[in-house]
Amino acid sequence: MSRDLPEVTAAVALLAEHGPAVPVMLLASVATLIATAGFHTRWSRRHGQAPPADDTGARPPTDERRAGRAEDDGGPARPAGAEESALWRMRTTVRDAPGSLAVLCAALADRRIDILSLQTHPLARGTVDEFLLRAPAGLTGSELAGVVTAAGGDHTWTERADAHDLVDAPTRVLALAARTALDAAELPLALRQLLGRCTIRSLPAAVGGAGDDVPPEGALEDTVLRLRAPEGGVISVERPYLPFTPAEFARARALVELDARLGPRVPRGRDSLTLPEGRDITVRRADTRDVAAAKAMHERCSPRTLGMRYHGPVGDADRYMNHLLSPRFGRTLAVQTASGRIVGLGHLLWDGDETEVALLVEDAWQRRGIGGELLGRLVAMATETGCASVYAVTQASNTGMVAAMRGLGLPLDYQIEEGTLVVTARLNPAPRTATAPVPHGERTGGE
């Protein structure tokens, strides 16, 4: 536990920055996240020594490093003639017996594959080992899995990685805890980054008695995690291509517990803007505490404006408010006047693996650039979270929404059916430093 003290100290600082209202008991949640995410170095457990420190760098081993000689500059430059390499994430199940991991590591070394990091996920029988590897560029995922299978690995899964995966697990988990502590809407995104590519759905308690069949501690069902949502209902996480381990289940549960203890929260920042006509407005984040003001805005909107937004009976709009403004389902931006009246709402909604954008601007405030301002900010948020695209569902006659989407300056796809128009914008995510991941990775071995 002593080696986890720096991370715990960082967690204490994080919670202190969040404000004096944060309960001291939150330390338990963060400490659990750190403990379950730490590297359980099997070398030290099985062989009595940790892997050499210089084997955890971000560059392939050179002859000098293999010989134990220090490099003069210590920089990341690759020596002339060194082969090209690629990063891989790999999981495999290994018998929990002395020497089993050594055989696997030796097989990787024979193929000039460098182990950059290793985590273990203990199971009832055997252990799931998760590696970050640097391999020769010509090696395919199937070939890598074949090497591991021949060395005793089973249920092997491989996926291309990039430089972002070089961050160690405690550091990554603390960053996710910090994001969740500052913004309740970050929980679904934090779970996705914690567990990899997965589909996250929130089912309210009012829908079919959601949560009645989920125990308080949650449920782990192979490729599905189900956890009690802090506000009631259930958070369901599905990853069909790779079963969850008990360690991952514990991490997810600790992150949800942290969110529940912190309660409702959104970033407090707000931006003041001056419209072309000279009137000032404020753009800020909104949540369920703004339901009453949002409903009041709906009452001032015309049936046509509401019909363009909700594509259904306008009298049902009030029923959508708690869902739309809940941070569990996405992020909401509100535009308010100097008097505090909300005159516009923009929603960025997590829809499984996709992301929807939606706008509503009060009639008297339309055609002043408010919709375009909201849409630009929502798309920027989507880009920051790594979304590949966003889509808007509207009526074909809604020229204002179409113009706002075109104003983004992004590639657009249009689909129209029976008067309903779906406009999808392909985003430009921040450049990544390595090859894009292979979809869902590759799995070999028994089921």
Side-chain angles (χ1 to χ4, degrees), residues 17-19 182 266-271 284-285:
E17 290 178 2
H18 188 66
L182 295 174
V266 295
R268 302 190 183 108
R270 55 184 64 205
D271 292 335
R284 62 172 177 84
R285 286 285 300 279

Side-chain angles (χ1 to χ4, degrees), residues 29 94 107 109 119 129 151 154-155 159 161 187 194 197 234 255 291 308 335 401 408 428:
S29 297
V94 179
Q119 295 185 66
D129 287 337
D154 194 13
H155 293 81
E159 179 186 53
L187 179 61
L194 182 69
R197 284 191 305 277
V234 170
L255 195 60
V291 166
M308 290 282 191
V335 175
M401 186 65 182
L408 294 171
N428 298 315

Side-chain angles (χ1 to χ4, degrees), residues 105-261:
C105 294
L108 293 174
D110 287 343
R111 294 298 298 270
R112 299 175 61 82
I113 300 171
D114 191 16
I115 299 174
L116 303 181
S117 69
L118 168 63
Q119 295 185 66
T120 64
H121 302 255
L123 303 177
R125 294 182 178 179
T127 302
V128 173
D129 287 337
E130 181 173 355
F131 295 85
L132 179 62
L133 305 171
R134 184 180 293 280
L139 190 71
T140 68
S142 297
E143 291 172 338
L144 176 58
V147 171
V148 174
T149 300
D154 194 13
H155 293 81
T156 301
W157 168 87
T158 60
E159 179 186 53
R160 289 294 290 270
D162 64 23
H164 294 76
D165 294 298
L166 292 171
V167 178
D168 65 15
T171 300
R172 183 172 66 252
V173 167
L174 280 170
L176 296 177
R179 289 172 49 183
T180 303
L182 295 174
D183 188 351
E186 289 286 339
L187 179 61
L189 300 172
L191 286 171
R192 184 171 294 175
Q193 292 197 17
L194 182 69
L195 301 171
R197 284 191 305 277
C198 54
T199 299
I200 299 174
R201 294 184 175 90
S202 294
L203 189 62
V207 179
D212 294 347
D213 60 341
V214 178
E217 66 274 12
L220 169 59
E221 302 164 355
D222 195 36
T223 61
V224 178
L225 300 181
R226 294 194 297 160
L227 299 164
R228 291 278 187 94
E231 70 283 355
V234 170
I235 297 174
S236 173
V237 187
E238 300 179 22
R239 192 177 65 186
Y241 67 95
L242 186 65
F244 293 108
T245 66
E248 290 178 310
F249 177 53
R251 297 171 190 174
R253 187 172 57 194
L255 195 60
V256 172
E257 181 183 356
L258 173 65
D259 178 85
R261 290 179 179 273

